[in-house]
Amino acid sequence: MDNAIDPPQTPDYYRDLGVSQAANPRAIRQAFKKLALATHPDKNVGESTDTADFRKVREAYEFLSDPEKRARYDRTYFDVQDAWERYYQQEEQLKQQARHREARIAKEKAEEQRRAAEAERLRKIEEERKVAEEKARRERLREEKARQAELRSKEAARKAWEQQQRAAEDRIYQQRAAAAEARSREVAERLRAEQERAALERIKLAEIQEKQDAVRRNWANLRQSGENPSRDDKPSQSSSIPLTVCSHLQFRWPKTNVQAIRALCAICGERRWKWAFVCPECGIFACPVCKEKACIF
């Protein structure tokens, strides 16, 4: 610090311990212990403590602990205290002067920085103006080139569109022709399929009619042979088996289990041990051979 003043040669022991001049030895000892714990380097590991503070506290305590030294010191303490007050006042004035000087320097530096920032701002504004003008010029040039390119592109697009229209018309004509041909083939195929189905139906009806006529003839023969039995004709199994005539030959005769009743075929009289076909209406039984000959289905 500039213009620094030297402190008084005689220390202010009461101020160093933080006690008044009227403090008793006990108060002095307590103040020393408190300050010793706060300033001793070994008690404050990791903290920035100055050994000079601890030495100053210890010196003040050792001096004031001696009654003779304290008595002599008290006789001149008023002058010592006054000298230290003047010292602190001068030191505070110097600090204030230093703060004012630093504030002035900081203000001048801030003003200089402000002027430099303003000059830099104006320079950047000028540069931005020049850049903006150059950008605008390039933008106009780019727009002109883009306009010319757009005109060329529109012309090329118009020609391409005309070609696409002609190609589309050709494709539509070909598609319509192909669709008409496909419809013609589909109609012809549908007509052929309908004709084939009709022919199959006619054949099926003819087969059913033929089979029904054969069944009718078969049953007519069976009735005739039942009404006029020949003496030489005998049943193959038992003469007591009746010949039953069924009129439900158009139905489907299901297959059933006959192990419990040992059913007899109503047509040929064969005894069925396991299964037989049964009429769904009148309940007569038939073996597979007779059922195949008599029934339509």
Side-chain angles (χ1 to χ4, degrees):
M1 183 183 295
D2 297 339
N3 300 326
I5 58 175
D6 296 329
Q9 295 181 355
T10 304
D12 189 351
Y13 294 128
Y14 292 109
R15 180 187 288 272
D16 293 341
L17 290 176
V19 296
S20 65
Q21 186 179 2
N24 55 26
R26 182 179 179 183
I28 293 174
R29 185 168 57 253
Q30 291 177 352
F32 167 70
K33 289 181 179 181
K34 182 178 179 180
L35 293 174
L37 291 174
T39 58
H40 197 286
D42 296 337
K43 300 295 183 180
N44 299 276
V45 180
E47 298 182 2
S48 59
T49 57
D50 191 358
T51 57
D53 295 336
F54 175 72
R55 288 196 300 268
K56 183 171 62 174
V57 171
R58 185 178 60 185
E59 180 183 355
Y61 172 70
E62 291 177 352
F63 188 88
L64 295 178
S65 297
D66 190 342
E68 295 180 358
K69 291 181 179 180
R70 182 179 180 183
R72 290 195 305 270
Y73 182 74
D74 288 343
R75 287 193 293 270
T76 60
Y77 179 66
F78 180 79
D79 297 333
V80 173
Q81 189 177 19
D82 184 62
W84 277 101
E85 287 295 334
R86 289 196 303 270
Y87 169 75
Y88 288 134
Q89 289 177 2
Q90 293 176 2
E91 189 178 35
E92 183 64 24
Q93 290 176 359
L94 292 176
K95 289 181 179 179
Q96 289 181 358
Q97 292 175 1
R99 285 195 296 268
H100 291 326
R101 185 168 53 256
E102 290 176 357
R104 186 178 67 257
I105 293 172
K107 185 176 180 180
E108 292 175 355
K109 186 176 181 180
E111 181 65 21
E112 184 180 355
Q113 291 177 352
R114 187 189 66 78
R115 288 194 296 270
E118 182 67 17
E120 182 67 17
R121 186 181 67 84
L122 295 175
R123 185 185 64 79
K124 288 183 178 180
I125 290 174
E126 182 65 20
E127 289 182 356
E128 290 175 358
R129 185 185 63 79
K130 292 180 180 179
V131 170
E133 290 178 354
E134 180 65 20
K135 184 177 180 180
R137 186 185 66 80
R138 292 180 180 179
E139 184 67 21
R140 289 193 298 271
L141 182 61
R142 186 188 64 80
E143 290 178 355
E144 180 63 23
K145 290 182 179 179
R147 190 178 66 81
Q148 296 294 335
E150 185 177 1
L151 292 176
R152 291 192 298 270
S153 177
K154 286 182 178 180
E155 182 65 19
R158 185 184 63 79
K159 293 180 180 179
W161 181 80
E162 292 177 353
Q163 293 178 358
Q164 290 177 357
Q165 287 293 109
R166 288 193 294 270
E169 291 175 357
D170 294 340
R171 285 196 301 271
I172 291 173
Y173 175 77
Q174 294 175 1
Q175 290 175 358
R176 289 179 178 175
E181 185 179 357
R183 285 195 298 271
S184 299
R185 286 198 301 270
E186 184 179 357
V187 171
E189 185 67 22
R190 190 184 303 114
L191 181 61
R192 184 183 63 78
E194 291 178 355
Q195 291 175 354
E196 288 180 356
R197 284 196 298 271
L200 291 176
E201 289 292 334
R202 288 195 298 271
I203 293 172
K204 186 176 181 180
L205 292 175
E207 291 177 352
I208 292 174
Q209 185 67 33
E210 183 180 355
K211 193 171 184 180
Q212 288 179 348
D213 294 341
V215 170
R216 291 190 187 97
R217 289 193 299 270
N218 188 17
W219 279 108
N221 294 332
L222 289 175
R223 290 193 192 94
Q224 185 178 2
S225 56
E227 293 174 357
N228 300 318
S230 178
R231 294 180 179 179
D232 297 334
D233 295 338
K234 295 182 180 180
S236 60
Q237 297 293 332
S238 174
S239 60
S240 61
I241 299 175
L243 183 61
T244 305
V245 178
C246 179
S247 61
H248 309 109
L249 302 176
Q250 73 276 15
F251 297 152
R252 184 183 299 276
W253 288 26
K255 184 178 178 181
T256 184
N257 190 342
V258 295
Q259 291 183 359
I261 60 175
R262 303 291 191 268
L264 296 176
C265 178
I267 300 174
C268 67
E270 178 185 0
R271 184 174 296 279
R272 301 296 298 169
W273 298 92
K274 293 184 178 181
W275 58 271
F277 292 96
V278 60
C279 176
E281 294 293 329
C282 56
I284 65 173
F285 298 96
C287 64
V289 177
C290 296
K291 184 261 180 187
E292 183 67 23
K293 292 179 180 179
C295 294
I296 298 176
F297 296 100

